Amino acid sequence: VKRVIILGSTGSIGKSAVDVILQDPGEFEVVGLAAGKNVDKMSEQLDMFPGALFCMEDKESVLAVEGRNSFYRHRVAGVGQDGMEKMIVDTSPDLVINALVGIAGLRPTLKTLSIGCQLALANKESLVTGGELISAMDKDIMGNIIPVDSEHFSISRCLRGYQGEVEEVILTASGGPFFGRDMSSLRDVTVDEVLDHPTWSMGRKVTVDSALLINKGLEVIEAHYLFDFPLDRINVVIHPQSKVHSFVRLSDGSLLAHLSPPDMRLPLMSALYYPEIHPFHWDDLSLELIQNLEFYPLHREQYPAFDLVLRAIQQGGTTPVVLNAVDELAVGAFLRRRIGFLDIILWIDEALSAHRPAKIECLDNILEADRWARDFISRNHSESVLN
Ligand SMILES: NC(=O)c1ccc[n+]([C@@H]2O[C@H](COP(=O)([O-])OP(=O)(O)OC[C@H]3O[C@@H](n4cnc5c(N)ncnc54)[C@H](OP(=O)(O)O)[C@@H]3O)[C@@H](O)[C@H]2O)c1
């Protein structure tokens, strides 16, 4: 029986992980769950997994969960970042699934790796902000990361057996709901239009990031660290059908492609059963669905947000940390309908222009840059926009 913690269990990826586990309950024991403020879902999951401790983002949410059932009081692992770290150490699981959103995932990622535990990583922000730190760790520690992001899961499938012969890695991007439209025509798009992703059903932040191709930029950073591969040999192609998730070009001229249904339960299964390959219980990718696959070059100048992300990683140091923090704030403000869609790009641009990048040598450097970015945005924008 594999003992598993699900961080972000109430979110889109977290719930898919629960789905996979429930298909085969004898194989897994869920020993810990963590979420933000979703008290209803957490209470439901605590009933589903009677052996699990839990942690919520703040004390009020922990108390609200306890209010649902007095027995839950005995299952509190802690609160917030400290609580998640404590739960990881105290339960000493075989696998931590990090399905948190944002930089909230970074400390749990570092803690999981530091105790030598396997990490199924969906939280790309861990690598965007902490990639320099994590990649400087022992190679064995990096080997404990199992990619869950679909493109990275797909690359790892293609790479099996081919390390050292790889010329180029190509990530596919659906292009999002506005593929083919000029950026200037997107000024007044609504939150609902942005959230209407053509091929994937995901959490709100990653869906907004996808519509601007910020997400694809973050995935380039993620691939760079996960596979220790140079940035200039990681490329992106637009593929609106989202059936091919990546290509890997080998030095012998072969171009390997990985196809699968756009269903996150597949990479999650792969992580949960790792290293075994397990039958997929849901719809396979039928051949009818791959009759008309299209691929278009991605022109960086047409996607200013993608370009900003790539410039941030090329600059390195604390710059991607600042980009991530501002993106989190700006996407939040957009989702609350306080700013327009394209303001997300303006906010990132203004913060990156003002930031003086510093080296990252420890976690504090990252947290300090994150704080700097959040302070910068609150100094430059009114409270009514930010709350
Ligand atoms: N969804 C996808 O298909 C997909 C695909 C590839 C990669 N990813 C990546 O996977 C990660 C999760 O994405 P998602 O779409 O599943 O996000 P989501 O639906 O928004 O879920 C996020 C989860 O994190 C929890 N959370 C947020 N802030 C927290 C905090 N400060 N402390 C503790 N828990 C916190 C949320 O709790 P509440 O529910 O209580 O708010 C929720 O359980 C992201 O990094 C995303 O880029 C997602």
Side-chain angles (χ1 to χ4, degrees):
V1 174
K2 213 176 245 190
R3 302 174 69 253
V4 181
I5 282 183
I6 310 173
L7 305 175
S9 58
T10 56
S12 161
I13 292 281
K15 286 187 284 186
S16 293
V18 167
D19 259 15
V20 173
I21 288 171
L22 290 179
Q23 291 291 317
D24 205 357
E27 283 290 315
F28 305 103
E29 182 190 356
V30 175
V31 296
L33 298 164
K37 300 178 197 285
N38 191 339
V39 170
D40 290 342
K41 196 74 202 169
M42 179 55 81
S43 308
E44 199 183 295
Q45 291 179 340
L46 285 171
D47 286 342
M48 252 177 226
F49 302 114
L53 300 180
F54 78 99
C55 175
M56 304 294 286
E57 183 178 344
D58 51 39
K59 187 74 194 157
E60 294 69 44
S61 305
V62 171
L63 290 173
V65 174
E66 285 179 19
R68 297 295 165 90
N69 180 335
S70 57
F71 288 110
Y72 293 159
R73 191 170 310 141
H74 309 292
R75 297 170 63 184
V76 179
V79 180
Q81 296 275 305
D82 291 343
M84 285 192 278
E85 287 188 342
K86 184 171 179 311
M87 185 164 74
I88 292 165
V89 173
D90 288 354
T91 56
S92 184
D94 300 306
L95 179 74
V96 172
I97 299 175
N98 187 342
L100 296 162
V101 64
I103 196 172
L106 175 63
R107 276 179 55 188
T109 282
L110 295 173
K111 183 54 76 185
T112 303
L113 295 175
S114 75
I115 63 163
C117 176
Q118 277 197 332
L119 173 69
L121 187 63
N123 176 259
K124 63 193 72 172
E125 296 90 344
S126 286
L127 286 169
V128 170
T129 59
E132 284 198 15
L133 213 55
I134 295 168
S135 60
M137 289 177 170
D138 201 303
K139 277 269 176 290
D140 290 349
I141 289 183
M142 278 303 281
N144 275 337
I145 305 181
I146 309 169
V148 170
D149 212 346
S150 56
E151 295 75 4
H152 306 77
F153 153 70
S154 146
I155 295 167
S156 67
R157 265 278 186 278
C158 289
L159 282 179
R160 283 192 185 187
Y162 292 112
Q163 240 96 3
E165 300 164 35
V166 178
E167 293 284 309
E168 182 188 11
V169 162
I170 304 170
L171 309 178
T172 56
S174 71
F178 307 123
F179 173 55
R181 278 180 63 174
D182 193 73
M183 268 288 149
S184 57
S185 74
L186 305 183
R187 187 160 308 281
D188 298 320
V189 292
T190 63
V191 169
D192 290 344
E193 285 172 298
V194 171
L195 290 180
D196 189 19
H197 195 281
T199 50
W200 289 98
S201 163
M202 311 181 280
R204 286 153 64 88
K205 190 238 178 202
V206 61
T207 306
V208 177
D209 279 346
S210 295
L212 281 169
L213 267 78
I214 289 178
N215 183 52
K216 207 46 61 179
L218 303 182
E219 289 179 0
V220 169
I221 303 179
E222 194 184 0
H224 166 63
Y225 288 120
L226 276 175
F227 304 110
D228 189 19
F229 205 68
L231 283 166
D232 61 354
R233 289 201 275 141
I234 304 173
N235 291 308
V236 176
V237 66
I238 304 228
H239 167 45
Q241 292 78 24
S242 299
K243 298 295 184 293
V244 177
H245 303 295
S246 75
F247 294 98
V248 168
R249 191 186 300 283
L250 301 181
S251 54
D252 69 358
S254 310
L255 187 61
L256 310 181
H258 176 265
L259 290 81
S260 72
D263 185 334
M264 291 308 293
R265 291 176 294 198
L266 179 57
L268 282 160
M269 269 185 66
S270 170
L272 278 158
Y273 289 95
Y274 186 83
E276 280 170 36
I277 292 186
H278 203 77
F280 188 62
H281 302 294
W282 296 277
D283 285 346
D284 284 332
L285 186 58
S286 75
L287 292 180
E288 290 87 74
L289 288 175
I290 57 169
Q291 280 172 352
N292 298 304
L293 299 184
E294 300 160 288
F295 301 93
Y296 302 98
L298 182 148
H299 299 295
R300 226 168 120 166
E301 64 282 2
Q302 284 171 7
Y303 296 98
F306 176 76
D307 188 55
L308 277 175
V309 182
L310 290 204
R311 282 201 272 139
I313 181 65
Q314 275 147 2
Q315 197 157 47
T318 48
T319 310
V321 180
V322 168
L323 173 125
N324 176 74
V326 179
D327 180 48
E328 285 186 28
L329 292 175
V331 169
F334 170 70
L335 286 169
R336 291 189 305 277
R337 298 174 166 77
R338 299 287 198 270
I339 62 172
F341 184 50
L342 299 184
D343 291 332
I344 298 171
I345 307 178
L346 292 181
W347 281 30
I348 294 175
D349 199 14
E350 69 185 14
L352 292 188
S353 307
H355 181 60
R356 297 283 154 268
K359 270 195 183 159
I360 292 180
E361 281 160 347
C362 60
L363 175 62
D364 277 349
N365 300 148
I366 300 173
L367 301 180
E368 207 173 291
D370 180 74
R371 257 192 314 273
W372 178 88
R374 288 169 199 272
D375 288 349
F376 176 84
I377 291 297
S378 51
R379 277 199 308 277
N380 285 278
H381 298 278
S382 69
E383 215 169 293
S384 61
V385 168
L386 285 163
N387 294 310

